[in-house]
Amino acid sequence: GQNIDQPTEMTATEGAIVQINCTYQTSGFNGLFWYQQHAGEAPTFLSYNVLDGLEEKGRFSSFLSRSKGYSYLLLKELQMKDSASYLCAVRDGDYKLSFGAGTTVTVRA
Amino acid sequence: SAVISQKPSRDICQRGTSLTIQCQVDSQVTMMFWYRQQPGQSLTLIATANQGSEATYESGFVIDKFPISRPNLTFSTLTVSNMSPEDSSIYLCSVEEVGGGNQPQHFGDGTRLSIL
């Protein structure tokens, strides 16, 4: 089966930077996705990486190293509304998405 | 991105009954999927809903328990059959649009199901 690991919880201060790491072992690789999920809501798409390197999208950036099976999501200038669960998901060789357990980020004033 | 309408948004059901969840998309999409998210956990893929043919189920999920229909490119249903308290969960529909391998999946708002 697929194996996707990310930290369970992280806490940071408003205005700070937080980096959420994700390591994966999957059967084939066709891209890595990051989703944000607020409590009681559906996941919303944040970013996508399929090639090595950094993708920047406003305050959010995502990095991928395929050789290391590693990605991170960087959240800059944290705001209270960024308190949510962040899900790392890998699309495997069959084009199915497997999700990590999610990282709950709490932003404190 | 596609607008996904999922209903009902929530329901409370008696054990032994069945509930059908509907997923409607406002545009034709290549792929439709059904996920389950149990309390405090991440998403688990139940099945891929195939247009005009039987759904493809993941390990641990069977058609008798979770029958799925997809009569066209914009609509799918998931039925949770003979429900027990262990089926209490959020059920999510997702779609992947036409456009190649870099398209993300987008999710409906989910159906929050509680079985008494």
Side-chain angles (χ1 to χ4, degrees), chain B residues 53-93:
Chain B
S53 65
E54 197 169 281
T56 305
Y57 289 85
E58 297 302 303
S59 176
F61 298 96
V62 295
I63 188 171
D64 290 345
K65 176 68 176 177
F66 298 102
I68 288 170
S69 78
R70 188 177 175 193
N72 56 53
L73 289 174
T74 63
F75 184 77
S76 178
T77 66
L78 167 75
T79 299
V80 186
S81 304
N82 188 26
M83 290 184 283
S84 67
E86 293 72 36
D87 295 319
S88 296
S89 187
I90 300 173
Y91 292 86
L92 293 145
C93 163

mmCIF file of all heavy atoms in Angstrom, chain B residues 53-93:
data_model
loop_
_atom_site.group_PDB
_atom_site.id
_atom_site.type_symbol
_atom_site.label_atom_id
_atom_site.label_comp_id
_atom_site.label_asym_id
_atom_site.label_seq_id
_atom_site.Cartn_x
_atom_site.Cartn_y
_atom_site.Cartn_z
ATOM 1 N N SER B 53 -20.408 2.074 -16.508
ATOM 2 C CA SER B 53 -19.962 0.739 -16.114
ATOM 3 C C SER B 53 -19.836 0.673 -14.601
ATOM 4 O O SER B 53 -20.006 1.674 -13.904
ATOM 5 C CB SER B 53 -18.635 0.381 -16.785
ATOM 6 O OG SER B 53 -17.609 1.236 -16.326
ATOM 7 N N GLU B 54 -19.538 -0.512 -14.103
ATOM 8 C CA GLU B 54 -19.468 -0.712 -12.661
ATOM 9 C C GLU B 54 -18.313 0.081 -12.057
ATOM 10 O O GLU B 54 -17.256 0.234 -12.674
ATOM 11 C CB GLU B 54 -19.282 -2.207 -12.390
ATOM 12 C CG GLU B 54 -19.587 -2.640 -10.980
ATOM 13 C CD GLU B 54 -19.631 -4.155 -10.868
ATOM 14 O OE1 GLU B 54 -20.651 -4.748 -11.246
ATOM 15 O OE2 GLU B 54 -18.625 -4.731 -10.408
ATOM 16 N N ALA B 55 -18.515 0.557 -10.832
ATOM 17 C CA ALA B 55 -17.467 1.301 -10.144
ATOM 18 C C ALA B 55 -16.294 0.394 -9.809
ATOM 19 O O ALA B 55 -16.435 -0.830 -9.701
ATOM 20 C CB ALA B 55 -18.040 1.916 -8.870
ATOM 21 N N THR B 56 -15.137 1.013 -9.619
ATOM 22 C CA THR B 56 -13.923 0.286 -9.230
ATOM 23 C C THR B 56 -13.691 0.517 -7.751
ATOM 24 O O THR B 56 -13.389 1.646 -7.336
ATOM 25 C CB THR B 56 -12.716 0.788 -10.044
ATOM 26 O OG1 THR B 56 -13.004 0.688 -11.437
ATOM 27 C CG2 THR B 56 -11.482 -0.029 -9.706
ATOM 28 N N TYR B 57 -13.800 -0.531 -6.945
ATOM 29 C CA TYR B 57 -13.732 -0.411 -5.490
ATOM 30 C C TYR B 57 -12.326 -0.656 -4.971
ATOM 31 O O TYR B 57 -11.586 -1.487 -5.499
ATOM 32 C CB TYR B 57 -14.707 -1.405 -4.837
ATOM 33 C CG TYR B 57 -16.146 -1.003 -5.042
ATOM 34 C CD1 TYR B 57 -16.832 -1.356 -6.202
ATOM 35 C CD2 TYR B 57 -16.813 -0.237 -4.089
ATOM 36 C CE1 TYR B 57 -18.143 -0.952 -6.420
ATOM 37 C CE2 TYR B 57 -18.127 0.167 -4.291
ATOM 38 C CZ TYR B 57 -18.779 -0.193 -5.458
ATOM 39 O OH TYR B 57 -20.076 0.217 -5.663
ATOM 40 N N GLU B 58 -12.004 0.050 -3.902
ATOM 41 C CA GLU B 58 -10.729 -0.131 -3.232
ATOM 42 C C GLU B 58 -10.833 -1.290 -2.239
ATOM 43 O O GLU B 58 -11.926 -1.718 -1.862
ATOM 44 C CB GLU B 58 -10.322 1.151 -2.498
ATOM 45 C CG GLU B 58 -10.097 2.326 -3.437
ATOM 46 C CD GLU B 58 -9.033 2.043 -4.484
ATOM 47 O OE1 GLU B 58 -7.887 1.708 -4.103
ATOM 48 O OE2 GLU B 58 -9.343 2.142 -5.691
ATOM 49 N N SER B 59 -9.668 -1.754 -1.825
ATOM 50 C CA SER B 59 -9.620 -2.853 -0.871
ATOM 51 C C SER B 59 -10.374 -2.479 0.398
ATOM 52 O O SER B 59 -10.199 -1.392 0.950
ATOM 53 C CB SER B 59 -8.156 -3.168 -0.538
ATOM 54 O OG SER B 59 -8.076 -4.158 0.448
ATOM 55 N N GLY B 60 -11.236 -3.390 0.841
ATOM 56 C CA GLY B 60 -12.004 -3.143 2.053
ATOM 57 C C GLY B 60 -13.391 -2.594 1.798
ATOM 58 O O GLY B 60 -14.179 -2.454 2.743
ATOM 59 N N PHE B 61 -13.705 -2.272 0.559
ATOM 60 C CA PHE B 61 -15.022 -1.733 0.206
ATOM 61 C C PHE B 61 -15.639 -2.623 -0.875
ATOM 62 O O PHE B 61 -14.950 -3.003 -1.817
ATOM 63 C CB PHE B 61 -14.911 -0.296 -0.298
ATOM 64 C CG PHE B 61 -14.373 0.662 0.728
ATOM 65 C CD1 PHE B 61 -13.023 0.977 0.743
ATOM 66 C CD2 PHE B 61 -15.201 1.225 1.679
ATOM 67 C CE1 PHE B 61 -12.508 1.855 1.693
ATOM 68 C CE2 PHE B 61 -14.702 2.103 2.636
ATOM 69 C CZ PHE B 61 -13.350 2.422 2.641
ATOM 70 N N VAL B 62 -16.930 -2.945 -0.715
ATOM 71 C CA VAL B 62 -17.592 -3.844 -1.659
ATOM 72 C C VAL B 62 -18.880 -3.224 -2.188
ATOM 73 O O VAL B 62 -19.519 -2.402 -1.520
ATOM 74 C CB VAL B 62 -17.881 -5.215 -1.016
ATOM 75 C CG1 VAL B 62 -16.585 -5.927 -0.677
ATOM 76 C CG2 VAL B 62 -18.758 -5.059 0.224
ATOM 77 N N ILE B 63 -19.275 -3.705 -3.348
ATOM 78 C CA ILE B 63 -20.428 -3.133 -4.031
ATOM 79 C C ILE B 63 -21.721 -3.351 -3.262
ATOM 80 O O ILE B 63 -22.606 -2.494 -3.298
ATOM 81 C CB ILE B 63 -20.526 -3.705 -5.472
ATOM 82 C CG1 ILE B 63 -21.605 -2.989 -6.279
ATOM 83 C CG2 ILE B 63 -20.772 -5.203 -5.444
ATOM 84 C CD1 ILE B 63 -21.609 -3.348 -7.755
ATOM 85 N N ASP B 64 -21.849 -4.469 -2.571
ATOM 86 C CA ASP B 64 -23.086 -4.735 -1.840
ATOM 87 C C ASP B 64 -23.303 -3.722 -0.726
ATOM 88 O O ASP B 64 -24.436 -3.383 -0.402
ATOM 89 C CB ASP B 64 -23.069 -6.144 -1.244
ATOM 90 C CG ASP B 64 -23.179 -7.209 -2.312
ATOM 91 O OD1 ASP B 64 -23.543 -6.859 -3.453
ATOM 92 O OD2 ASP B 64 -22.909 -8.383 -2.022
ATOM 93 N N LYS B 65 -22.231 -3.239 -0.142
ATOM 94 C CA LYS B 65 -22.316 -2.287 0.961
ATOM 95 C C LYS B 65 -22.386 -0.842 0.456
ATOM 96 O O LYS B 65 -23.092 -0.021 1.013
ATOM 97 C CB LYS B 65 -21.084 -2.440 1.866
ATOM 98 C CG LYS B 65 -20.989 -1.450 3.007
ATOM 99 C CD LYS B 65 -22.076 -1.666 4.044
ATOM 100 C CE LYS B 65 -21.897 -0.713 5.220
ATOM 101 N NZ LYS B 65 -22.979 -0.858 6.211
ATOM 102 N N PHE B 66 -21.676 -0.569 -0.624
ATOM 103 C CA PHE B 66 -21.593 0.797 -1.159
ATOM 104 C C PHE B 66 -21.886 0.813 -2.663
ATOM 105 O O PHE B 66 -21.005 1.130 -3.476
ATOM 106 C CB PHE B 66 -20.198 1.392 -0.911
ATOM 107 C CG PHE B 66 -19.822 1.535 0.531
ATOM 108 C CD1 PHE B 66 -18.970 0.621 1.138
ATOM 109 C CD2 PHE B 66 -20.318 2.584 1.295
ATOM 110 C CE1 PHE B 66 -18.615 0.758 2.481
ATOM 111 C CE2 PHE B 66 -19.970 2.735 2.633
ATOM 112 C CZ PHE B 66 -19.113 1.815 3.221
ATOM 113 N N PRO B 67 -23.099 0.487 -3.062
ATOM 114 C CA PRO B 67 -23.402 0.551 -4.491
ATOM 115 C C PRO B 67 -23.293 1.973 -5.024
ATOM 116 O O PRO B 67 -23.696 2.935 -4.364
ATOM 117 C CB PRO B 67 -24.840 0.014 -4.587
ATOM 118 C CG PRO B 67 -25.383 0.071 -3.206
ATOM 119 C CD PRO B 67 -24.235 0.016 -2.256
ATOM 120 N N ILE B 68 -22.730 2.098 -6.214
ATOM 121 C CA ILE B 68 -22.466 3.399 -6.839
ATOM 122 C C ILE B 68 -23.047 3.396 -8.240
ATOM 123 O O ILE B 68 -22.941 2.415 -8.964
ATOM 124 C CB ILE B 68 -20.947 3.666 -6.892
ATOM 125 C CG1 ILE B 68 -20.395 3.974 -5.499
ATOM 126 C CG2 ILE B 68 -20.607 4.807 -7.859
ATOM 127 C CD1 ILE B 68 -18.883 4.007 -5.419
ATOM 128 N N SER B 69 -23.655 4.517 -8.589
ATOM 129 C CA SER B 69 -24.102 4.684 -9.972
ATOM 130 C C SER B 69 -23.440 5.913 -10.569
ATOM 131 O O SER B 69 -23.092 6.868 -9.856
ATOM 132 C CB SER B 69 -25.633 4.828 -10.039
ATOM 133 O OG SER B 69 -26.021 6.135 -9.672
ATOM 134 N N ARG B 70 -23.256 5.876 -11.888
ATOM 135 C CA ARG B 70 -22.807 7.067 -12.612
ATOM 136 C C ARG B 70 -23.419 7.002 -14.016
ATOM 137 O O ARG B 70 -22.772 6.549 -14.965
ATOM 138 C CB ARG B 70 -21.286 7.169 -12.684
ATOM 139 C CG ARG B 70 -20.878 8.516 -13.269
ATOM 140 C CD ARG B 70 -19.394 8.719 -13.300
ATOM 141 N NE ARG B 70 -19.097 9.987 -13.981
ATOM 142 C CZ ARG B 70 -17.889 10.343 -14.390
ATOM 143 N NH1 ARG B 70 -16.865 9.547 -14.179
ATOM 144 N NH2 ARG B 70 -17.720 11.494 -14.986
ATOM 145 N N PRO B 71 -24.640 7.477 -14.127
ATOM 146 C CA PRO B 71 -25.338 7.347 -15.408
ATOM 147 C C PRO B 71 -24.820 8.273 -16.501
ATOM 148 O O PRO B 71 -25.044 8.006 -17.693
ATOM 149 C CB PRO B 71 -26.787 7.706 -15.053
ATOM 150 C CG PRO B 71 -26.662 8.570 -13.834
ATOM 151 C CD PRO B 71 -25.474 8.057 -13.078
ATOM 152 N N ASN B 72 -24.140 9.361 -16.143
ATOM 153 C CA ASN B 72 -23.599 10.288 -17.147
ATOM 154 C C ASN B 72 -22.358 10.968 -16.592
ATOM 155 O O ASN B 72 -21.884 10.628 -15.498
ATOM 156 C CB ASN B 72 -24.667 11.311 -17.557
ATOM 157 C CG ASN B 72 -25.220 12.068 -16.356
ATOM 158 O OD1 ASN B 72 -24.464 12.633 -15.572
ATOM 159 N ND2 ASN B 72 -26.537 12.071 -16.217
ATOM 160 N N LEU B 73 -21.831 11.939 -17.332
ATOM 161 C CA LEU B 73 -20.549 12.547 -16.961
ATOM 162 C C LEU B 73 -20.679 13.603 -15.867
ATOM 163 O O LEU B 73 -19.680 14.160 -15.433
ATOM 164 C CB LEU B 73 -19.888 13.158 -18.204
ATOM 165 C CG LEU B 73 -19.359 12.151 -19.222
ATOM 166 C CD1 LEU B 73 -18.855 12.857 -20.477
ATOM 167 C CD2 LEU B 73 -18.247 11.293 -18.631
ATOM 168 N N THR B 74 -21.895 13.917 -15.425
ATOM 169 C CA THR B 74 -22.049 14.996 -14.449
ATOM 170 C C THR B 74 -22.732 14.564 -13.156
ATOM 171 O O THR B 74 -22.966 15.391 -12.275
ATOM 172 C CB THR B 74 -22.870 16.151 -15.060
ATOM 173 O OG1 THR B 74 -24.191 15.673 -15.373
ATOM 174 C CG2 THR B 74 -22.203 16.693 -16.310
ATOM 175 N N PHE B 75 -23.065 13.285 -13.009
ATOM 176 C CA PHE B 75 -23.862 12.869 -11.855
ATOM 177 C C PHE B 75 -23.443 11.494 -11.372
ATOM 178 O O PHE B 75 -23.153 10.595 -12.169
ATOM 179 C CB PHE B 75 -25.345 12.859 -12.252
ATOM 180 C CG PHE B 75 -26.284 12.537 -11.128
ATOM 181 C CD1 PHE B 75 -26.601 13.483 -10.170
ATOM 182 C CD2 PHE B 75 -26.869 11.271 -11.028
ATOM 183 C CE1 PHE B 75 -27.478 13.195 -9.133
ATOM 184 C CE2 PHE B 75 -27.739 10.964 -9.995
ATOM 185 C CZ PHE B 75 -28.041 11.920 -9.048
ATOM 186 N N SER B 76 -23.409 11.340 -10.029
ATOM 187 C CA SER B 76 -23.115 10.039 -9.447
ATOM 188 C C SER B 76 -23.850 9.929 -8.115
ATOM 189 O O SER B 76 -24.159 10.937 -7.471
ATOM 190 C CB SER B 76 -21.616 9.866 -9.224
ATOM 191 O OG SER B 76 -21.328 8.615 -8.604
ATOM 192 N N THR B 77 -24.145 8.696 -7.712
ATOM 193 C CA THR B 77 -24.719 8.457 -6.390
ATOM 194 C C THR B 77 -23.924 7.380 -5.671
ATOM 195 O O THR B 77 -23.363 6.469 -6.305
ATOM 196 C CB THR B 77 -26.187 8.007 -6.458
ATOM 197 O OG1 THR B 77 -26.270 6.717 -7.071
ATOM 198 C CG2 THR B 77 -27.043 8.996 -7.222
ATOM 199 N N LEU B 78 -23.883 7.513 -4.364
ATOM 200 C CA LEU B 78 -23.302 6.500 -3.480
ATOM 201 C C LEU B 78 -24.377 6.115 -2.484
ATOM 202 O O LEU B 78 -24.971 6.991 -1.849
ATOM 203 C CB LEU B 78 -22.092 7.059 -2.733
ATOM 204 C CG LEU B 78 -21.573 6.212 -1.554
ATOM 205 C CD1 LEU B 78 -20.824 4.989 -2.074
ATOM 206 C CD2 LEU B 78 -20.660 7.037 -0.646
ATOM 207 N N THR B 79 -24.641 4.834 -2.339
ATOM 208 C CA THR B 79 -25.584 4.348 -1.336
ATOM 209 C C THR B 79 -24.800 3.658 -0.230
ATOM 210 O O THR B 79 -23.914 2.852 -0.512
ATOM 211 C CB THR B 79 -26.600 3.374 -1.959
ATOM 212 O OG1 THR B 79 -27.348 4.063 -2.974
ATOM 213 C CG2 THR B 79 -27.557 2.839 -0.904
ATOM 214 N N VAL B 80 -25.104 4.016 0.998
ATOM 215 C CA VAL B 80 -24.544 3.315 2.152
ATOM 216 C C VAL B 80 -25.647 2.383 2.645
ATOM 217 O O VAL B 80 -26.699 2.847 3.106
ATOM 218 C CB VAL B 80 -24.107 4.291 3.260
ATOM 219 C CG1 VAL B 80 -23.395 3.533 4.383
ATOM 220 C CG2 VAL B 80 -23.209 5.382 2.697
ATOM 221 N N SER B 81 -25.413 1.083 2.507
ATOM 222 C CA SER B 81 -26.466 0.097 2.739
ATOM 223 C C SER B 81 -26.374 -0.525 4.124
ATOM 224 O O SER B 81 -25.286 -0.665 4.692
ATOM 225 C CB SER B 81 -26.363 -1.022 1.693
ATOM 226 O OG SER B 81 -26.421 -0.515 0.389
ATOM 227 N N ASN B 82 -27.550 -0.912 4.641
ATOM 228 C CA ASN B 82 -27.606 -1.645 5.911
ATOM 229 C C ASN B 82 -26.674 -1.013 6.944
ATOM 230 O O ASN B 82 -25.737 -1.641 7.441
ATOM 231 C CB ASN B 82 -27.245 -3.115 5.673
ATOM 232 C CG ASN B 82 -27.469 -3.975 6.900
ATOM 233 O OD1 ASN B 82 -28.296 -3.660 7.748
ATOM 234 N ND2 ASN B 82 -26.721 -5.060 7.004
ATOM 235 N N MET B 83 -26.939 0.249 7.235
ATOM 236 C CA MET B 83 -25.990 1.044 8.030
ATOM 237 C C MET B 83 -25.879 0.583 9.469
ATOM 238 O O MET B 83 -26.841 0.121 10.092
ATOM 239 C CB MET B 83 -26.392 2.513 7.971
ATOM 240 C CG MET B 83 -26.150 3.138 6.598
ATOM 241 S SD MET B 83 -26.519 4.881 6.542
ATOM 242 C CE MET B 83 -28.300 4.835 6.471
ATOM 243 N N SER B 84 -24.671 0.722 10.003
ATOM 244 C CA SER B 84 -24.378 0.467 11.408
ATOM 245 C C SER B 84 -23.646 1.697 11.949
ATOM 246 O O SER B 84 -23.170 2.530 11.182
ATOM 247 C CB SER B 84 -23.512 -0.787 11.550
ATOM 248 O OG SER B 84 -22.243 -0.558 10.984
ATOM 249 N N PRO B 85 -23.533 1.809 13.274
ATOM 250 C CA PRO B 85 -22.843 2.984 13.846
ATOM 251 C C PRO B 85 -21.423 3.183 13.296
ATOM 252 O O PRO B 85 -20.947 4.320 13.229
ATOM 253 C CB PRO B 85 -22.827 2.685 15.339
ATOM 254 C CG PRO B 85 -24.062 1.878 15.559
ATOM 255 C CD PRO B 85 -24.185 1.008 14.321
ATOM 256 N N GLU B 86 -20.774 2.107 12.880
ATOM 257 C CA GLU B 86 -19.413 2.226 12.323
ATOM 258 C C GLU B 86 -19.381 2.975 11.008
ATOM 259 O O GLU B 86 -18.313 3.407 10.551
ATOM 260 C CB GLU B 86 -18.802 0.833 12.117
ATOM 261 C CG GLU B 86 -18.516 0.062 13.398
ATOM 262 C CD GLU B 86 -19.763 -0.437 14.082
ATOM 263 O OE1 GLU B 86 -20.731 -0.833 13.381
ATOM 264 O OE2 GLU B 86 -19.809 -0.427 15.327
ATOM 265 N N ASP B 87 -20.533 3.132 10.375
ATOM 266 C CA ASP B 87 -20.611 3.869 9.113
ATOM 267 C C ASP B 87 -20.756 5.369 9.337
ATOM 268 O O ASP B 87 -20.773 6.143 8.363
ATOM 269 C CB ASP B 87 -21.789 3.370 8.273
ATOM 270 C CG ASP B 87 -21.611 1.926 7.821
ATOM 271 O OD1 ASP B 87 -20.482 1.556 7.441
ATOM 272 O OD2 ASP B 87 -22.606 1.159 7.862
ATOM 273 N N SER B 88 -20.855 5.796 10.584
ATOM 274 C CA SER B 88 -20.923 7.225 10.879
ATOM 275 C C SER B 88 -19.631 7.890 10.414
ATOM 276 O O SER B 88 -18.537 7.534 10.865
ATOM 277 C CB SER B 88 -21.109 7.452 12.384
ATOM 278 O OG SER B 88 -22.353 6.923 12.811
ATOM 279 N N SER B 89 -19.776 8.837 9.501
ATOM 280 C CA SER B 89 -18.589 9.382 8.848
ATOM 281 C C SER B 89 -19.014 10.555 7.974
ATOM 282 O O SER B 89 -20.206 10.846 7.841
ATOM 283 C CB SER B 89 -17.950 8.284 7.978
ATOM 284 O OG SER B 89 -16.721 8.693 7.450
ATOM 285 N N ILE B 90 -18.027 11.192 7.385
ATOM 286 C CA ILE B 90 -18.303 12.155 6.320
ATOM 287 C C ILE B 90 -18.003 11.456 5.003
ATOM 288 O O ILE B 90 -16.942 10.841 4.835
ATOM 289 C CB ILE B 90 -17.429 13.414 6.448
ATOM 290 C CG1 ILE B 90 -17.695 14.112 7.777
ATOM 291 C CG2 ILE B 90 -17.691 14.371 5.281
ATOM 292 C CD1 ILE B 90 -16.743 15.257 8.050
ATOM 293 N N TYR B 91 -18.930 11.562 4.071
ATOM 294 C CA TYR B 91 -18.746 10.973 2.746
ATOM 295 C C TYR B 91 -18.589 12.113 1.746
ATOM 296 O O TYR B 91 -19.394 13.042 1.701
ATOM 297 C CB TYR B 91 -19.928 10.073 2.388
ATOM 298 C CG TYR B 91 -19.968 8.841 3.267
ATOM 299 C CD1 TYR B 91 -20.599 8.875 4.510
ATOM 300 C CD2 TYR B 91 -19.329 7.664 2.884
ATOM 301 C CE1 TYR B 91 -20.604 7.764 5.339
ATOM 302 C CE2 TYR B 91 -19.332 6.557 3.707
ATOM 303 C CZ TYR B 91 -19.961 6.611 4.933
ATOM 304 O OH TYR B 91 -19.948 5.512 5.767
ATOM 305 N N LEU B 92 -17.523 12.040 0.964
ATOM 306 C CA LEU B 92 -17.173 13.136 0.064
ATOM 307 C C LEU B 92 -17.102 12.643 -1.370
ATOM 308 O O LEU B 92 -16.501 11.605 -1.664
ATOM 309 C CB LEU B 92 -15.807 13.723 0.444
ATOM 310 C CG LEU B 92 -15.743 14.438 1.786
ATOM 311 C CD1 LEU B 92 -14.407 14.225 2.442
ATOM 312 C CD2 LEU B 92 -15.986 15.922 1.590
ATOM 313 N N CYS B 93 -17.688 13.434 -2.243
ATOM 314 C CA CYS B 93 -17.567 13.224 -3.676
ATOM 315 C C CYS B 93 -16.443 14.123 -4.186
ATOM 316 O O CYS B 93 -16.308 15.271 -3.720
ATOM 317 C CB CYS B 93 -18.902 13.584 -4.315
ATOM 318 S SG CYS B 93 -18.870 13.855 -6.085
#
